[in-house]
Short mmCIF file of all heavy atoms in Angstrom, two decimals:
data_model
loop_
_atom_site.label_atom_id
_atom_site.label_comp_id
_atom_site.label_asym_id
_atom_site.label_seq_id
_atom_site.Cartn_x
_atom_site.Cartn_y
_atom_site.Cartn_z
N GLU A 1 -15.28 -0.16 -9.81
CA GLU A 1 -13.92 0.04 -10.32
C GLU A 1 -13.04 0.48 -9.16
O GLU A 1 -13.30 1.50 -8.53
CB GLU A 1 -13.91 1.08 -11.43
CG GLU A 1 -12.53 1.33 -12.01
CD GLU A 1 -12.51 2.43 -13.04
OE1 GLU A 1 -13.58 3.04 -13.28
OE2 GLU A 1 -11.44 2.69 -13.62
N ILE A 2 -12.00 -0.28 -8.90
CA ILE A 2 -11.07 0.04 -7.81
C ILE A 2 -9.96 0.91 -8.34
O ILE A 2 -9.26 0.55 -9.28
CB ILE A 2 -10.51 -1.24 -7.18
CG1 ILE A 2 -11.63 -2.04 -6.50
CG2 ILE A 2 -9.42 -0.90 -6.17
CD1 ILE A 2 -11.17 -3.35 -5.91
N TYR A 3 -9.81 2.07 -7.72
CA TYR A 3 -8.75 2.99 -8.10
C TYR A 3 -7.45 2.71 -7.35
O TYR A 3 -6.36 2.89 -7.89
CB TYR A 3 -9.17 4.43 -7.82
CG TYR A 3 -10.43 4.87 -8.52
CD1 TYR A 3 -11.37 5.66 -7.85
CD2 TYR A 3 -10.69 4.52 -9.83
CE1 TYR A 3 -12.53 6.07 -8.47
CE2 TYR A 3 -11.85 4.93 -10.46
CZ TYR A 3 -12.77 5.71 -9.78
OH TYR A 3 -13.92 6.12 -10.41
N LEU A 4 -7.58 2.29 -6.09
CA LEU A 4 -6.42 2.15 -5.24
C LEU A 4 -6.72 1.19 -4.09
O LEU A 4 -7.79 1.25 -3.50
CB LEU A 4 -6.02 3.51 -4.66
CG LEU A 4 -4.90 3.55 -3.64
CD1 LEU A 4 -3.55 3.39 -4.34
CD2 LEU A 4 -4.93 4.86 -2.86
N MET A 5 -5.78 0.31 -3.80
CA MET A 5 -5.80 -0.46 -2.57
C MET A 5 -4.48 -0.20 -1.86
O MET A 5 -3.43 -0.22 -2.50
CB MET A 5 -6.01 -1.95 -2.83
CG MET A 5 -7.36 -2.26 -3.47
SD MET A 5 -7.74 -4.04 -3.58
CE MET A 5 -8.08 -4.42 -1.85
N ALA A 6 -4.56 0.05 -0.58
CA ALA A 6 -3.37 0.50 0.13
C ALA A 6 -3.36 -0.01 1.56
O ALA A 6 -4.40 -0.33 2.15
CB ALA A 6 -3.31 2.03 0.13
N TRP A 7 -2.16 -0.05 2.12
CA TRP A 7 -1.94 -0.37 3.52
C TRP A 7 -1.51 0.89 4.26
O TRP A 7 -0.64 1.63 3.79
CB TRP A 7 -0.88 -1.45 3.70
CG TRP A 7 -1.31 -2.81 3.26
CD1 TRP A 7 -1.02 -3.42 2.09
CD2 TRP A 7 -2.11 -3.72 4.01
NE1 TRP A 7 -1.59 -4.67 2.05
CE2 TRP A 7 -2.26 -4.88 3.22
CE3 TRP A 7 -2.70 -3.69 5.28
CZ2 TRP A 7 -2.99 -5.99 3.65
CZ3 TRP A 7 -3.42 -4.79 5.70
CH2 TRP A 7 -3.56 -5.92 4.89
N TYR A 8 -2.11 1.11 5.41
CA TYR A 8 -1.74 2.17 6.33
C TYR A 8 -1.45 1.55 7.68
O TYR A 8 -1.83 0.40 7.95
CB TYR A 8 -2.86 3.20 6.47
CG TYR A 8 -3.11 4.06 5.26
CD1 TYR A 8 -3.70 3.54 4.12
CD2 TYR A 8 -2.78 5.42 5.26
CE1 TYR A 8 -3.95 4.33 3.01
CE2 TYR A 8 -3.03 6.22 4.16
CZ TYR A 8 -3.61 5.67 3.04
OH TYR A 8 -3.86 6.46 1.94
N ARG A 9 -0.79 2.31 8.54
CA ARG A 9 -0.58 1.83 9.89
C ARG A 9 -0.66 2.99 10.87
O ARG A 9 -0.40 4.13 10.52
CB ARG A 9 0.76 1.10 10.04
CG ARG A 9 1.99 1.96 9.82
CD ARG A 9 3.24 1.08 9.82
NE ARG A 9 4.46 1.86 9.61
CZ ARG A 9 5.66 1.32 9.44
NH1 ARG A 9 5.81 0.00 9.45
NH2 ARG A 9 6.71 2.11 9.26
N GLN A 10 -1.01 2.66 12.10
CA GLN A 10 -1.16 3.67 13.13
C GLN A 10 -0.66 3.13 14.46
O GLN A 10 -1.11 2.08 14.92
CB GLN A 10 -2.63 4.11 13.26
CG GLN A 10 -2.84 5.27 14.20
CD GLN A 10 -4.24 5.84 14.10
OE1 GLN A 10 -5.16 5.18 13.64
NE2 GLN A 10 -4.40 7.08 14.52
N SER A 11 0.26 3.87 15.06
CA SER A 11 0.79 3.55 16.38
C SER A 11 0.12 4.46 17.41
O SER A 11 -0.36 5.54 17.06
CB SER A 11 2.30 3.73 16.43
OG SER A 11 2.95 2.89 15.49
N PRO A 12 0.10 4.05 18.67
CA PRO A 12 -0.50 4.90 19.70
C PRO A 12 0.11 6.29 19.73
O PRO A 12 1.34 6.44 19.71
CB PRO A 12 -0.22 4.14 21.00
CG PRO A 12 -0.11 2.71 20.57
CD PRO A 12 0.55 2.75 19.22
N GLY A 13 -0.73 7.30 19.77
CA GLY A 13 -0.28 8.67 19.83
C GLY A 13 0.17 9.26 18.51
O GLY A 13 0.65 10.40 18.49
N LYS A 14 0.04 8.51 17.42
CA LYS A 14 0.47 9.00 16.13
C LYS A 14 -0.68 8.95 15.13
O LYS A 14 -1.67 8.26 15.31
CB LYS A 14 1.65 8.18 15.60
CG LYS A 14 2.92 8.32 16.41
CD LYS A 14 4.09 7.66 15.73
CE LYS A 14 5.39 7.90 16.48
NZ LYS A 14 6.55 7.31 15.78
N LEU A 15 -0.51 9.71 14.05
CA LEU A 15 -1.48 9.71 12.98
C LEU A 15 -1.36 8.43 12.16
O LEU A 15 -0.34 7.74 12.18
CB LEU A 15 -1.27 10.92 12.07
CG LEU A 15 -1.45 12.30 12.70
CD1 LEU A 15 -1.08 13.38 11.69
CD2 LEU A 15 -2.88 12.49 13.18
N ARG A 16 -2.40 8.14 11.43
CA ARG A 16 -2.38 6.99 10.54
C ARG A 16 -1.52 7.32 9.32
O ARG A 16 -1.78 8.29 8.60
CB ARG A 16 -3.80 6.62 10.12
CG ARG A 16 -3.90 5.33 9.33
CD ARG A 16 -5.36 4.92 9.12
NE ARG A 16 -6.04 4.66 10.38
CZ ARG A 16 -7.29 4.22 10.48
NH1 ARG A 16 -8.00 4.00 9.38
NH2 ARG A 16 -7.83 4.01 11.66
N ASP A 17 -0.51 6.52 9.08
CA ASP A 17 0.46 6.77 8.01
C ASP A 17 0.29 5.77 6.88
O ASP A 17 0.02 4.58 7.10
CB ASP A 17 1.89 6.68 8.54
CG ASP A 17 2.25 7.79 9.50
OD1 ASP A 17 1.73 8.90 9.35
OD2 ASP A 17 3.07 7.53 10.41
N TRP A 18 0.50 6.24 5.68
CA TRP A 18 0.51 5.38 4.51
C TRP A 18 1.76 4.52 4.48
O TRP A 18 2.86 5.00 4.79
CB TRP A 18 0.43 6.25 3.24
CG TRP A 18 0.70 5.51 1.98
CD1 TRP A 18 -0.13 4.65 1.33
CD2 TRP A 18 1.90 5.58 1.20
NE1 TRP A 18 0.48 4.17 0.19
CE2 TRP A 18 1.72 4.73 0.09
CE3 TRP A 18 3.10 6.29 1.33
CZ2 TRP A 18 2.70 4.57 -0.89
CZ3 TRP A 18 4.08 6.13 0.36
CH2 TRP A 18 3.87 5.28 -0.72
N VAL A 19 1.62 3.26 4.12
CA VAL A 19 2.73 2.33 4.07
C VAL A 19 3.04 1.90 2.64
O VAL A 19 4.18 2.00 2.19
CB VAL A 19 2.45 1.08 4.93
CG1 VAL A 19 3.58 0.07 4.80
CG2 VAL A 19 2.25 1.47 6.39
N ALA A 20 2.03 1.41 1.94
CA ALA A 20 2.22 0.90 0.59
C ALA A 20 0.89 0.91 -0.13
O ALA A 20 -0.17 0.85 0.50
CB ALA A 20 2.81 -0.52 0.60
N SER A 21 0.95 0.98 -1.44
CA SER A 21 -0.29 0.99 -2.22
C SER A 21 -0.10 0.30 -3.55
O SER A 21 1.02 0.18 -4.06
CB SER A 21 -0.80 2.42 -2.42
OG SER A 21 0.16 3.23 -3.08
N PHE A 22 -1.21 -0.13 -4.09
CA PHE A 22 -1.26 -0.84 -5.36
C PHE A 22 -2.40 -0.22 -6.15
O PHE A 22 -3.57 -0.43 -5.84
CB PHE A 22 -1.52 -2.32 -5.14
CG PHE A 22 -0.87 -3.23 -6.14
CD1 PHE A 22 -0.57 -4.53 -5.80
CD2 PHE A 22 -0.58 -2.81 -7.42
CE1 PHE A 22 0.02 -5.39 -6.72
CE2 PHE A 22 0.01 -3.64 -8.36
CZ PHE A 22 0.31 -4.95 -8.00
N SER A 23 -2.05 0.54 -7.16
CA SER A 23 -3.06 1.25 -7.94
C SER A 23 -3.65 0.34 -9.01
O SER A 23 -3.19 -0.79 -9.23
CB SER A 23 -2.46 2.51 -8.58
OG SER A 23 -1.44 2.17 -9.50
N SER A 24 -4.65 0.86 -9.71
CA SER A 24 -5.34 0.07 -10.73
C SER A 24 -4.45 -0.26 -11.92
O SER A 24 -4.78 -1.17 -12.69
CB SER A 24 -6.60 0.80 -11.21
OG SER A 24 -6.28 2.08 -11.75
N ASP A 25 -3.36 0.46 -12.10
CA ASP A 25 -2.41 0.14 -13.16
C ASP A 25 -1.34 -0.86 -12.71
O ASP A 25 -0.37 -1.09 -13.43
CB ASP A 25 -1.75 1.41 -13.71
CG ASP A 25 -0.90 2.14 -12.68
OD1 ASP A 25 -0.86 1.71 -11.51
OD2 ASP A 25 -0.28 3.15 -13.06
N ASP A 26 -1.53 -1.45 -11.54
CA ASP A 26 -0.67 -2.50 -10.98
C ASP A 26 0.72 -2.00 -10.60
O ASP A 26 1.66 -2.79 -10.51
CB ASP A 26 -0.53 -3.67 -11.96
CG ASP A 26 -1.84 -4.40 -12.18
OD1 ASP A 26 -2.77 -4.24 -11.37
OD2 ASP A 26 -1.91 -5.15 -13.18
N PHE A 27 0.84 -0.71 -10.36
CA PHE A 27 2.13 -0.15 -9.99
C PHE A 27 2.20 0.01 -8.48
O PHE A 27 1.44 0.79 -7.91
CB PHE A 27 2.34 1.20 -10.68
CG PHE A 27 3.69 1.80 -10.42
CD1 PHE A 27 4.81 1.32 -11.06
CD2 PHE A 27 3.83 2.87 -9.55
CE1 PHE A 27 6.06 1.88 -10.83
CE2 PHE A 27 5.06 3.43 -9.31
CZ PHE A 27 6.18 2.93 -9.95
N PRO A 28 3.12 -0.70 -7.82
CA PRO A 28 3.22 -0.60 -6.36
C PRO A 28 4.14 0.53 -5.93
O PRO A 28 5.16 0.80 -6.58
CB PRO A 28 3.81 -1.96 -5.97
CG PRO A 28 4.67 -2.33 -7.15
CD PRO A 28 3.98 -1.77 -8.36
N THR A 29 3.79 1.17 -4.84
CA THR A 29 4.63 2.20 -4.25
C THR A 29 4.73 1.96 -2.75
O THR A 29 3.84 1.38 -2.14
CB THR A 29 4.09 3.61 -4.53
OG1 THR A 29 2.73 3.71 -4.07
CG2 THR A 29 4.15 3.93 -6.02
N TYR A 30 5.82 2.47 -2.16
CA TYR A 30 6.11 2.23 -0.76
C TYR A 30 6.63 3.49 -0.08
O TYR A 30 7.30 4.32 -0.72
CB TYR A 30 7.17 1.14 -0.59
CG TYR A 30 6.83 -0.16 -1.26
CD1 TYR A 30 7.21 -0.40 -2.57
CD2 TYR A 30 6.15 -1.16 -0.56
CE1 TYR A 30 6.90 -1.61 -3.19
CE2 TYR A 30 5.85 -2.36 -1.17
CZ TYR A 30 6.22 -2.58 -2.48
OH TYR A 30 5.92 -3.78 -3.09
N THR A 31 6.37 3.60 1.19
CA THR A 31 7.03 4.62 1.98
C THR A 31 8.48 4.21 2.18
O THR A 31 8.81 3.02 2.21
CB THR A 31 6.31 4.83 3.32
OG1 THR A 31 6.80 6.01 3.96
CG2 THR A 31 6.49 3.64 4.24
N ASP A 32 9.36 5.19 2.33
CA ASP A 32 10.79 4.91 2.35
C ASP A 32 11.19 3.95 3.47
O ASP A 32 12.11 3.13 3.29
CB ASP A 32 11.58 6.21 2.50
CG ASP A 32 11.63 7.02 1.23
OD1 ASP A 32 11.34 6.47 0.15
OD2 ASP A 32 11.98 8.21 1.31
N SER A 33 10.55 4.02 4.61
CA SER A 33 10.96 3.23 5.75
C SER A 33 10.75 1.73 5.59
O SER A 33 11.32 0.94 6.35
CB SER A 33 10.25 3.71 7.02
OG SER A 33 8.85 3.52 6.92
N VAL A 34 9.97 1.32 4.60
CA VAL A 34 9.71 -0.11 4.40
C VAL A 34 10.27 -0.64 3.10
O VAL A 34 10.17 -1.85 2.85
CB VAL A 34 8.21 -0.44 4.50
CG1 VAL A 34 7.62 0.11 5.79
CG2 VAL A 34 7.44 0.08 3.29
N LYS A 35 10.85 0.22 2.28
CA LYS A 35 11.40 -0.23 1.01
C LYS A 35 12.50 -1.26 1.23
O LYS A 35 13.37 -1.10 2.08
CB LYS A 35 11.96 0.96 0.22
CG LYS A 35 10.90 1.87 -0.36
CD LYS A 35 11.52 3.02 -1.14
CE LYS A 35 10.45 3.92 -1.73
NZ LYS A 35 11.04 5.08 -2.44
N GLY A 36 12.43 -2.33 0.46
CA GLY A 36 13.38 -3.41 0.61
C GLY A 36 13.00 -4.44 1.64
O GLY A 36 13.62 -5.51 1.71
N ARG A 37 11.99 -4.15 2.45
CA ARG A 37 11.55 -5.08 3.48
C ARG A 37 10.12 -5.55 3.26
O ARG A 37 9.80 -6.71 3.53
CB ARG A 37 11.65 -4.44 4.87
CG ARG A 37 13.05 -4.01 5.26
CD ARG A 37 13.13 -3.58 6.72
NE ARG A 37 12.27 -2.43 7.00
CZ ARG A 37 11.28 -2.42 7.89
NH1 ARG A 37 11.01 -3.52 8.59
NH2 ARG A 37 10.57 -1.32 8.09
N PHE A 38 9.25 -4.67 2.79
CA PHE A 38 7.84 -4.98 2.58
C PHE A 38 7.55 -5.10 1.09
O PHE A 38 8.14 -4.39 0.27
CB PHE A 38 6.94 -3.90 3.16
CG PHE A 38 6.92 -3.80 4.66
CD1 PHE A 38 7.82 -4.48 5.46
CD2 PHE A 38 5.98 -2.99 5.28
CE1 PHE A 38 7.80 -4.38 6.83
CE2 PHE A 38 5.94 -2.88 6.66
CZ PHE A 38 6.85 -3.56 7.44
N THR A 39 6.61 -5.97 0.76
CA THR A 39 6.16 -6.12 -0.61
C THR A 39 4.65 -6.22 -0.63
O THR A 39 4.06 -7.01 0.10
CB THR A 39 6.76 -7.38 -1.26
OG1 THR A 39 8.19 -7.32 -1.23
CG2 THR A 39 6.31 -7.49 -2.72
N ILE A 40 4.02 -5.40 -1.47
CA ILE A 40 2.58 -5.45 -1.64
C ILE A 40 2.28 -6.19 -2.94
O ILE A 40 2.97 -6.00 -3.95
CB ILE A 40 1.97 -4.03 -1.64
CG1 ILE A 40 0.44 -4.09 -1.66
CG2 ILE A 40 2.50 -3.18 -2.78
CD1 ILE A 40 -0.23 -2.73 -1.46
N ASP A 41 1.27 -7.04 -2.92
CA ASP A 41 0.84 -7.71 -4.13
C ASP A 41 -0.66 -7.97 -4.06
O ASP A 41 -1.29 -7.71 -3.04
CB ASP A 41 1.63 -9.00 -4.40
CG ASP A 41 1.57 -9.98 -3.26
OD1 ASP A 41 0.56 -10.72 -3.15
OD2 ASP A 41 2.53 -10.03 -2.47
N ARG A 42 -1.23 -8.46 -5.15
CA ARG A 42 -2.67 -8.66 -5.24
C ARG A 42 -3.01 -9.95 -5.95
O ARG A 42 -2.15 -10.56 -6.60
CB ARG A 42 -3.30 -7.47 -5.97
CG ARG A 42 -2.85 -7.35 -7.43
CD ARG A 42 -3.75 -6.43 -8.22
NE ARG A 42 -3.29 -6.30 -9.60
CZ ARG A 42 -3.57 -7.16 -10.57
NH1 ARG A 42 -4.30 -8.25 -10.30
NH2 ARG A 42 -3.13 -6.95 -11.80
N ASP A 43 -4.27 -10.34 -5.86
CA ASP A 43 -4.73 -11.47 -6.65
C ASP A 43 -5.18 -10.99 -8.02
O ASP A 43 -5.23 -9.79 -8.30
CB ASP A 43 -5.84 -12.23 -5.91
CG ASP A 43 -7.15 -11.46 -5.81
OD1 ASP A 43 -7.23 -10.30 -6.28
OD2 ASP A 43 -8.11 -12.02 -5.24
N ASN A 44 -5.53 -11.93 -8.88
CA ASN A 44 -5.88 -11.58 -10.25
C ASN A 44 -7.16 -10.76 -10.34
O ASN A 44 -7.34 -10.00 -11.30
CB ASN A 44 -6.02 -12.84 -11.11
CG ASN A 44 -4.69 -13.53 -11.37
OD1 ASN A 44 -3.64 -12.89 -11.34
ND2 ASN A 44 -4.74 -14.82 -11.63
N GLY A 45 -8.05 -10.93 -9.39
CA GLY A 45 -9.29 -10.19 -9.40
C GLY A 45 -9.20 -8.79 -8.83
O GLY A 45 -10.19 -8.06 -8.85
N LYS A 46 -8.06 -8.45 -8.28
CA LYS A 46 -7.79 -7.12 -7.72
C LYS A 46 -8.71 -6.75 -6.57
O LYS A 46 -8.90 -5.58 -6.27
CB LYS A 46 -7.84 -6.04 -8.81
CG LYS A 46 -6.79 -6.18 -9.88
CD LYS A 46 -6.82 -5.00 -10.84
CE LYS A 46 -5.72 -5.11 -11.88
NZ LYS A 46 -5.72 -3.95 -12.81
N ASN A 47 -9.28 -7.74 -5.91
CA ASN A 47 -10.09 -7.46 -4.73
C ASN A 47 -9.45 -7.98 -3.45
O ASN A 47 -10.06 -7.91 -2.38
CB ASN A 47 -11.49 -8.04 -4.89
CG ASN A 47 -11.50 -9.55 -5.02
OD1 ASN A 47 -10.46 -10.18 -5.18
ND2 ASN A 47 -12.69 -10.14 -4.94
#
Protein backbone atom coordinates (compact mmCIF):
# COMPACT_ATOMS: atom_id res chain seq x y z
CA GLU A 1 0.00 0.00 0.00
CA ILE A 2 1.54 3.29 -1.12
CA TYR A 3 0.98 6.16 1.25
CA LEU A 4 2.89 8.82 -0.64
CA MET A 5 4.88 9.38 -3.79
CA ALA A 6 6.86 12.58 -3.95
CA TRP A 7 9.53 14.53 -5.77
CA TYR A 8 12.47 16.09 -3.96
CA ARG A 9 15.46 17.98 -5.26
CA GLN A 10 18.94 18.74 -4.03
CA SER A 11 21.42 21.33 -5.22
CA PRO A 12 25.13 21.32 -4.33
CA GLY A 13 25.69 22.56 -0.79
CA LYS A 14 22.01 22.41 0.11
CA LEU A 15 19.69 20.00 1.84
CA ARG A 16 17.29 17.83 -0.06
CA ASP A 17 14.03 19.78 -0.38
CA TRP A 18 10.52 18.58 -1.01
CA VAL A 19 9.04 19.73 -4.32
CA ALA A 20 5.70 18.01 -4.87
CA SER A 21 3.79 14.99 -3.67
CA PHE A 22 0.85 12.81 -4.58
CA SER A 23 -0.78 11.04 -1.67
CA SER A 24 -2.91 7.90 -1.74
CA ASP A 25 -6.06 10.04 -1.82
CA ASP A 26 -4.86 11.51 -5.15
CA PHE A 27 -4.43 14.98 -3.72
CA PRO A 28 -1.37 16.79 -5.11
CA THR A 29 0.59 19.37 -3.17
CA TYR A 30 3.47 21.64 -4.16
CA THR A 31 6.10 23.81 -2.64
CA ASP A 32 5.39 27.49 -3.25
CA SER A 33 8.34 28.06 -5.58
CA VAL A 34 6.98 25.67 -8.22
CA LYS A 35 3.25 26.36 -8.01
CA GLY A 36 1.87 27.27 -11.40
CA ARG A 37 4.90 25.84 -13.18
CA PHE A 38 5.15 22.19 -12.11
CA THR A 39 2.47 19.52 -12.19
CA ILE A 40 2.63 16.10 -10.56
CA ASP A 41 0.49 13.26 -11.84
CA ARG A 42 0.34 9.46 -11.76
CA ASP A 43 -0.76 6.45 -13.72
CA ASN A 44 -3.85 4.44 -12.85
CA GLY A 45 -1.86 1.84 -10.96
CA LYS A 46 -0.30 4.48 -8.69
CA ASN A 47 3.16 3.00 -9.12
